[in-house]
Amino acid sequence: MSARRLFYVLSAIAIFHLTGCATYGNGVQQALTAVDQGDYTAAATQIESTLSADGKDRLLYNLELGVIRHLEGNYAESNRLLEDAARITEALKERQLRDTLMVMMSNPRNADYAGNTHEEMMIYYYKALNYLAIAGTLPYGNARQDAVEGARIESRRLLLRLQALRNNEGSYNQYKDKEERTFSKVMDVFSVLVGNLVDTEDLTYRDDALAHYLTGVSFEMNREFDNARISYLKAAESYESGYAEQFQLGNGMAAQAWMDAARMMQRTGFTDAEIQTATAGKLSAAQRSELNDLEGKGQVLVIEHKGRVPEKKELNLQLSINPNLRALELQPYFFEYSQEEINWFYLLYADKMFYGLVADYLNATRNFRVDFFTKTIFLGPLYDTAESMGLTNAVGNSLRVAVPYYARPVEYGQSQLSVGQQSWSLDPAASPQLMAIQEQMKNAGPEIRAALSRAADRKSVV
């Protein structure tokens, strides 16, 4: 047994998006409670009665139920549901590219739920795990080989989706009619509403090191050792180049991936000197010793899914016009915010830079107070545009909008695996909860602009 080939998917979502759908109410919470208690039959029943298999929440239905079936060990049924989810995702994304403006101008809750990037990736992740689990139940032969091949295919699909998602962002300006052009002007007014603390480029989901690693596992199980070596190297490089830092995973998985790449080099005939050169500075003394003592030993891979993505909630904001400053002012809705809402607002929206300080000073001069939890947007020449469109009248003293945000993530702590008198610390391999939070932060600017534009557009902007 390898003492290092152990990892856990830190805070991997037990179910995909249930906590993000406040409109489902008690049914969602009951399903979550059942999952937490390990009662997957009750959880599945609750999902089937709460979500619609063919309505606007059909993607969620298949995602949630697919993962629940995975948790209860019904891997074939899980794959069927997740494949349906993959097809629904593709169809919805094609529709979104055509109807971007229409979706933005309507209430997003009335649209089909199309999923977030990390959720789409988890479809193929769980499908690969299902095939690996099926392979583990079968004797050596064609059926087992087919299951291993299925895992490899799903891992490749995952990597292809990552590349496609980076290259296929929909264009806002492609489909405009007269009404949309008016809405576009409103969006222009709100386009200056961006946070000034968070660099969203640093939050971009650029790669998935765990996907590379699982691809290596599937290749190794298929005895394609050179392909496994390449995948393990890609995993190691991804973890090292930024993936581990972005999702706060530590260095363990990078070291493990280098170790596995070295093992595959041994299996494919590389000399000790070549392995030493390729992994210089990457392996510890203990790993090099282990590498020299692998003859006749197997590898045990342990994956723990730990916790789930925190609940997605709604933050109510108030927009008002400040004619003295010729500016818009945005702040959390009076008397309704919690500390975590204030934290989210301050991080993504509140004034923190030079122009914010100027606005605070000017407001304090007139009102004898400083408000640190306000976003002031100096419109400059756009103020005249806003007036001519009737936007200032529409906003007036108060325009209420709601935007999504995530509750504080749960700290789950370190995991240990014990066998007899021996124990090992498991290495964090991925963090879907941080993926979800970072993706929401990255989308915060466009979402608040769209929300404000919809609200103002409904109040008779012409």
Side-chain angles (χ1 to χ4, degrees):
M1 177 188 295
S2 167
R4 294 296 298 163
R5 196 173 167 80
L6 311 165
F7 67 85
Y8 66 94
V9 182
L10 180 63
S11 305
I13 38 185
I15 42 185
F16 278 76
H17 196 73
L18 285 177
T19 51
C21 302
T23 54
Y24 298 128
N26 291 334
V28 169
Q29 190 55 52
Q30 290 173 22
L32 288 172
T33 300
V35 168
D36 290 341
Q37 296 172 346
D39 190 349
Y40 303 125
T41 299
T45 299
Q46 196 62 52
I47 291 298
E48 290 170 336
S49 63
T50 302
L51 303 176
S52 170
D54 53 10
K56 66 181 182 181
D57 52 7
R58 61 191 179 279
L59 175 59
L60 286 174
Y61 175 92
N62 285 281
L63 292 178
E64 317 296 9
L65 199 54
V67 177
I68 290 172
R69 296 306 185 198
H70 166 86
L71 293 172
E72 71 179 359
N74 190 345
Y75 303 120
E77 177 65 8
S78 175
N79 273 347
R80 184 191 69 78
L81 289 160
L82 292 173
E83 184 58 31
D84 285 346
R87 285 196 291 268
I88 292 168
T89 297
E90 290 299 314
L92 290 177
K93 286 189 177 297
E94 289 180 9
R95 182 187 303 175
Q96 280 186 325
L97 289 175
R98 295 194 306 268
D99 303 334
T100 301
L101 254 296
M102 183 185 69
V103 171
M104 291 179 69
M105 292 173 64
S106 65
N107 189 332
R109 290 183 180 179
N110 296 329
D112 294 324
Y113 180 73
N116 293 324
T117 304
H118 69 277
E119 291 170 325
E120 183 180 359
M121 297 305 101
M122 295 301 281
I123 293 174
Y124 305 105
Y125 168 78
Y126 274 108
K127 287 198 70 182
L129 287 189
N130 284 336
Y131 278 116
L132 290 175
I134 291 170
T137 67
L138 298 172
Y140 283 96
N142 290 337
R144 184 181 185 278
Q145 196 69 21
D146 289 344
V148 172
E149 177 65 16
R152 184 179 64 170
I153 290 172
E154 296 306 326
S155 296
R156 281 178 163 173
R157 289 177 73 186
L158 197 162
L159 296 175
L160 288 172
R161 289 308 305 149
L162 282 173
Q163 184 62 45
L165 287 169
R166 285 195 295 268
N167 295 336
N168 293 320
E169 296 183 359
S171 172
Y172 168 74
N173 293 309
Q174 287 176 345
Y175 304 99
K176 289 183 178 178
D177 58 19
K178 183 177 183 295
E179 182 182 16
E180 290 170 338
R181 285 195 294 274
T182 299
F183 187 74
S184 180
K185 291 179 182 178
V186 179
M187 288 286 288
D188 287 340
V189 173
F190 290 124
S191 66
V192 290
L193 251 181
V194 295
N196 50 18
L197 185 64
V198 177
D199 184 353
T200 57
E201 284 303 305
D202 292 339
L203 303 178
T204 301
Y205 183 36
R206 302 178 186 280
D207 197 9
D208 197 308
L210 180 56
H212 291 297
Y213 190 89
L214 287 179
T215 303
V217 171
S218 63
F219 277 130
E220 184 178 355
M221 290 183 69
N222 208 38
R223 303 185 67 81
E224 297 179 54
F225 300 123
D226 196 55
N227 285 335
R229 173 185 65 84
I230 294 171
S231 291
Y232 287 138
L233 283 174
K234 287 181 178 179
E237 292 166 356
S238 181
Y239 276 117
E240 285 187 337
S241 64
Y243 186 87
E245 180 180 7
Q246 180 176 355
F247 299 115
Q248 302 178 21
L249 303 174
N251 301 322
M253 277 304 296
Q256 180 60 53
W258 279 111
M259 177 66 177
D260 292 316
R263 287 193 306 103
M264 295 302 98
M265 293 180 76
Q266 278 187 336
R267 297 297 298 265
T268 51
F270 283 79
T271 66
D272 290 343
E274 289 172 326
I275 296 173
Q276 178 77 24
T277 299
T279 60
K282 304 299 183 181
L283 302 182
S284 66
Q287 284 179 310
R288 293 202 177 277
S289 176
E290 183 182 346
L291 192 62
N292 294 326
D293 191 33
L294 291 178
E295 186 67 30
K297 295 184 178 180
Q299 298 288 312
V300 176
L301 175 64
V302 177
I303 302 175
E304 179 188 26
H305 289 164
K306 194 169 185 177
R308 59 174 179 262
V309 169
E311 181 180 359
K312 186 184 282 188
K313 301 180 180 180
E314 281 191 343
L315 172 61
N316 288 307
L317 303 176
Q318 176 180 269
L319 183 73
S320 60
I321 291 288
N322 187 327
N324 295 317
L325 299 181
R326 294 172 63 83
L328 298 170
E329 292 182 339
L330 184 70
Q331 56 190 172
Y333 208 77
F334 192 54
F335 285 141
E336 289 191 10
Y337 48 78
S338 64
Q339 185 60 53
E340 69 178 17
E341 289 175 310
I342 284 293
N343 294 344
W344 186 272
F345 179 84
Y346 183 79
L347 176 67
L348 294 175
Y349 302 118
D351 292 325
K352 294 173 285 287
M353 299 301 182
F354 174 75
Y355 290 110
L357 295 176
V358 172
D360 277 343
Y361 174 75
L362 294 175
N363 276 327
T365 299
R366 293 186 175 91
N367 303 321
F368 305 103
R369 69 181 181 88
V370 176
D371 191 343
F372 294 106
F373 298 106
T374 299
K375 174 70 177 179
T376 304
I377 308 100
F378 292 101
L379 295 180
L382 279 176
Y383 191 85
D384 294 330
T385 301
E387 277 193 317
S388 67
M389 295 170 61
L391 180 58
T392 53
N393 288 333
V395 173
N397 293 325
S398 178
L399 182 66
R400 183 169 175 166
V401 296
V403 293
Y405 79 99
Y406 278 105
R408 185 179 183 276
V410 176
E411 298 290 338
Y412 293 102
Q414 181 68 49
S415 289
Q416 296 282 331
L417 175 70
S418 297
V419 180
Q421 299 300 311
Q422 290 183 289
S423 64
W424 299 268
S425 295
L426 274 67
D427 293 316
S431 181
Q433 72 170 359
L434 286 183
M435 292 176 187
I437 290 170
Q438 289 184 17
E439 186 167 2
Q440 187 60 52
M441 287 181 172
K442 183 176 176 62
N443 294 334
E447 284 189 348
I448 184 61
R449 291 196 297 271
L452 292 168
S453 299
R454 281 192 298 270
D457 193 60
R458 284 195 298 269
K459 292 187 72 172
S460 71
V461 178
V462 294

